[in-house]
Amino acid sequence: MMPRWPQEVLLSCQFRGRSLASRPLMTETTGSSIKFKLFLMMILEIAIWGAWQIKIFSYMGMLGFTPDQQWLVGSSFGIASIVGIFFSNQFADRNFSAERFLAFSHVIGGAALIATAFQTSFWPFFGCFVTYCLLYVPTISVTNSLAFANLKDPAKDFGFVRMGGTIGWIIVSWPFIFLLSEKAGASETKWVFIVAGIISFVLAAFSLTLPHTPPRKDVDGMDKVAWLKAVKLLGNPFVLVLFLVTFIDSTIHNGYFVVIDGFLQKVGISANMSMVVSSIGQVAEIVTMLILGAVLKKLGWKITLILGIVGHAARFGIFAFFGTPDNQWLIIAVQVLHGICYAFFFVTVYIFVDAVFPKDVRTSAQGLFNLLILGVGMVVASKLFPQLLASYTTNGVVDYKQLFLVPSGMALAGIVLLALFFRPPTHGPEGEVKH
């Protein structure tokens, strides 16, 4: 969110119903080769997303789109995330082999991205982009399913494979140092969609080299009941509090991507370097993930989650009070807080659900929280933050101090809710933490 997952244990809950017996027998060499292929698959998968995420809202501003128009475009990915959670389970996984589904989706999605780059009026732009989103979002869970189905030891190896997605988000920012100028306008910034489209075509071709993963025919019929049970869990105070705070934090997290490009340029970071600066957060995310298990064991669920939101409050607070060209070094340095914001909160939420919730509803509960993180939070952020930008802009100048005080206040509200009302049934995870 990614987001960034992705930013990200994005929809890893999609692995269910695949028996070990259904996996091909693999030698150690073959297993390593497949694992590396899956790692490359994740690099390409998330690089597509990372190519446009940082620039899209500033680009829409260049095209003169209104805040409501920006909201519709920004909501496309969130709405597709909500649809995709059900589509990938109920249709894609059951009717298509995973690798062919990826190939088809990325060919059409890549074409839609490149078409998006050449649209300057709203409705054609929106039509092309929403087409891409509806095709791309289901591939996030399908890549996870494909990885789980073909890894010899998913619990051990999936972390390495999924880390490829974070690396993909980082490395895709570097070509834009050369593709964009220091003050890139719309005619140059459209390259974010062209590059994303090219990567999508590459992944479409690469998907056909992945292990054959046939449609899932062994999914039980209890999904609807499990979803209902998961929703009923909101009657537990600790689940309801976590759900509300996750909504707040996902809105803040997705709002960061709405405003960050314009803000970085305001403090003197050139248009062709803003994506690289932002990617520092993904580098920090990798490091933070390495220590997350130890932090959870030492501090427990509650304090770790609070620290994750403190990261957001601190980052936006620094943006608000030190957001000037004189403090450019501080603005760059504070990007490392993204690792704390993402791993200590969002990844901890996924681990918490897996460790605490009843086994028969864990998958559906993960999906329920994904509705917030990848769907509802993104939709709300795409509405709120363009409106904030418009409200705090006078004669073309944005008052970022007042703007950033809003998410800072939201983060503080989340901290108070967790501190006062979140009482998890266990202090922290028992046994080895696997994420």
Side-chain angles (χ1 to χ4, degrees):
M1 174 185 191
M2 166 212 357
R4 264 210 350 265
W5 196 106
Q7 95 193 44
E8 312 133 350
V9 190
L10 295 179
L11 302 179
S12 60
C13 60
Q14 298 300 324
F15 171 54
R16 57 180 201 234
R18 288 195 189 277
S19 67
L20 291 172
S22 68
R23 299 195 191 107
L25 294 176
M26 293 182 287
T27 65
E28 185 173 348
T29 302
T30 304
S32 297
S33 174
I34 290 175
K35 185 164 67 173
F36 184 67
K37 274 192 170 185
L38 296 172
F39 178 78
L40 290 177
M41 173 190 72
M42 289 295 187
I43 288 179
L44 295 169
E45 174 74 17
I46 303 302
I48 297 168
W49 185 357
W52 57 262
Q53 174 71 82
I54 301 298
K55 292 286 187 182
I56 187 170
F57 278 92
S58 59
Y59 179 68
M60 289 192 289
M62 297 174 194
L63 296 181
F65 291 176
T66 66
D68 283 341
Q69 289 174 332
Q70 293 182 39
W71 169 55
L72 284 173
V73 174
S75 297
S76 299
F77 197 87
I79 292 170
S81 297
I82 297 171
V83 174
I85 289 171
F86 301 100
F87 175 81
S88 58
N89 276 345
Q90 306 300 324
F91 185 72
D93 276 0
R94 302 184 188 192
N95 294 281
F96 302 99
S97 64
E99 74 282 0
R100 292 179 182 176
F101 178 81
L102 292 178
F104 171 81
S105 297
H106 286 303
V107 165
I108 307 302
L113 278 167
I114 291 177
T116 300
F118 295 95
Q119 310 304 319
T120 56
S121 55
F122 172 70
W123 286 112
F125 183 97
F126 173 72
C128 292
F129 189 74
V130 76
T131 298
Y132 150 72
C133 289
L134 290 170
L135 288 161
Y136 173 79
V137 170
T139 68
I140 298 173
S141 59
V142 171
T143 51
N144 285 333
S145 291
L146 190 150
F148 275 115
N150 292 282
L151 287 170
K152 185 177 181 181
D153 186 350
K156 176 184 176 183
D157 296 332
F158 183 72
F160 166 79
V161 169
R162 191 58 189 81
M163 187 175 65
T166 303
I167 292 173
W169 188 290
I170 294 168
I171 63 177
V172 77
S173 64
W174 287 90
F176 295 102
I177 296 175
F178 310 102
L179 292 173
L180 305 181
S181 64
E182 292 186 359
K183 296 183 179 180
S187 62
E188 292 179 69
T189 307
K190 71 181 182 182
W191 271 98
V192 299
F193 301 105
I194 296 173
V195 169
I198 292 170
I199 298 171
S200 190
F201 289 147
V202 171
L203 181 52
F206 182 72
S207 295
L208 297 177
T209 73
L210 295 171
H212 177 57
T213 308
R216 293 167 53 184
K217 301 297 186 182
D218 55 349
V219 181
D220 60 50
M222 298 298 292
D223 287 353
K224 293 181 180 179
V225 175
W227 271 91
L228 182 60
K229 288 182 179 179
V231 171
K232 286 183 177 180
L233 285 174
L234 294 175
N236 295 316
F238 78 90
V239 178
L240 179 61
V241 170
L242 184 60
F243 194 78
L244 292 174
V245 176
T246 300
F247 167 68
I248 293 171
D249 205 47
S250 62
T251 301
I252 299 169
H253 176 77
N254 286 296
Y256 164 86
F257 293 105
V258 176
V259 298
I260 188 60
D261 187 57
F263 173 68
L264 290 178
Q265 292 185 55
K266 182 256 185 181
V267 299
I269 295 167
S270 61
N272 61 342
M273 287 298 296
S274 61
M275 292 177 69
V276 176
V277 170
S278 179
S279 72
I280 293 171
Q282 278 67 44
V283 177
E285 180 184 312
I286 295 174
V287 177
T288 311
M289 290 285 284
L290 294 175
I291 66 170
L292 177 59
V295 171
L296 279 171
K297 297 284 284 186
K298 180 72 174 179
L299 300 181
W301 305 117
K302 185 171 184 174
I303 300 301
T304 303
L305 289 166
I306 288 174
L307 287 175
I309 306 185
V310 166
H312 274 306
R315 179 165 61 174
F316 282 116
I318 290 171
F319 287 172
F321 293 103
F322 300 95
T324 65
D326 292 339
N327 296 311
Q328 185 184 106
W329 67 271
L330 179 60
I331 301 303
I332 294 173
V334 82
Q335 299 299 324
V336 301
L337 287 176
H338 175 86
I340 292 175
C341 296
Y342 190 84
F344 281 19
F345 189 85
F346 293 114
V347 179
T348 297
V349 167
Y350 289 115
I351 297 172
F352 176 79
V353 170
D354 188 66
V356 173
F357 281 42
K359 289 183 179 180
D360 61 334
V361 298
R362 283 177 187 170
T363 295
S364 296
Q366 295 280 13
L368 192 62
F369 278 90
N370 272 317
L371 287 175
L372 296 179
I373 297 168
L374 294 177
V376 178
M378 188 173 288
V379 172
V380 174
S382 297
K383 177 67 173 178
L384 174 62
F385 281 81
Q387 293 287 359
L388 289 174
L389 276 170
S391 297
Y392 292 116
T393 299
T394 305
N395 297 324
V397 179
V398 181
D399 185 346
Y400 280 107
K401 179 179 180 180
Q402 295 301 316
L403 189 156
F404 287 133
L405 288 177
V406 175
S408 296
M410 293 171 65
L412 291 174
I415 292 168
V416 170
L417 283 171
L418 284 177
L420 296 181
F421 303 110
F422 182 61
R423 297 182 177 87
T426 60
H427 169 74
E430 299 177 1
E432 182 182 357
V433 177
K434 296 180 180 180
H435 53 274

